[in-house]
Amino acid sequence: MGFRYELSKLAIQDIDNIWEYTLKKWSRSQANKYYKEIFRAIDSICNNPELGKSFIELETDHRIFSVRSHLIVYKIINDKIFVDRILHERMNIDNLEI
């Protein structure tokens, strides 16, 4: 049985911003496709929480999983995957609110 997931308020803002940017830069179809791809990655994490690399530079319990040019920052809390952020790989994670 896989884990459940929960998105933080910041992760929800991140995914909304990613969708809006992709819509403006490419198309609604591409925005929807990328949105679904990110959630498929989250589902994969739920099925195998160890997929992401440990990210001790941020906090000892966080992991990072890459999907295209974005990073899903998450931690495992009991039987839940808590997604803190979904960030572009070029962002300086150390200086962001998590």
Side-chain angles (χ1 to χ4, degrees), residues 43-54:
D43 286 340
S44 294
I45 293 167
C46 287
N47 289 322
N48 184 359
E50 302 300 319
L51 275 178
K53 294 181 182 180
S54 180

Side-chain angles (χ1 to χ4, degrees):
M1 181 179 120
F3 287 59
R4 301 175 296 121
Y5 72 85
E6 180 181 340
L7 302 176
S8 72
K9 288 180 184 178
L10 290 173
I12 293 168
Q13 289 175 354
D14 293 336
I15 193 74
D16 288 347
N17 291 339
I18 292 165
W19 190 90
E20 288 289 330
Y21 176 83
T22 307
L23 170 68
K24 290 176 186 173
K25 185 81 172 169
W26 288 282
S27 68
R28 179 177 301 277
S29 174
Q30 187 62 35
N32 289 338
K33 181 179 175 183
Y34 196 31
Y35 181 89
K36 289 175 185 176
E37 190 172 343
I38 290 170
F39 278 96
R40 278 193 303 271
I42 293 171
D43 286 340
S44 294
I45 293 167
C46 287
N47 289 322
N48 184 359
E50 302 300 319
L51 275 178
K53 294 181 182 180
S54 180
F55 193 68
I56 59 174
E57 291 85 357
L58 182 61
E59 287 187 30
T60 56
D61 57 349
H62 279 90
R63 301 182 79 78
I64 292 183
F65 185 76
S66 178
V67 55
R68 291 194 184 220
S69 58
H70 284 86
L71 304 171
I72 299 171
V73 180
Y74 70 96
K75 58 188 168 189
I76 304 164
I77 303 174
N78 300 321
D79 64 341
K80 187 186 328 179
I81 301 298
F82 186 79
V83 178
D84 282 299
R85 299 295 304 263
I86 303 169
L87 304 170
H88 194 276
E89 64 190 2
R90 291 186 184 162
M91 293 177 128
N92 182 350
I93 294 174
D94 296 330
N95 295 332
L96 292 170
E97 182 180 343
I98 299 289

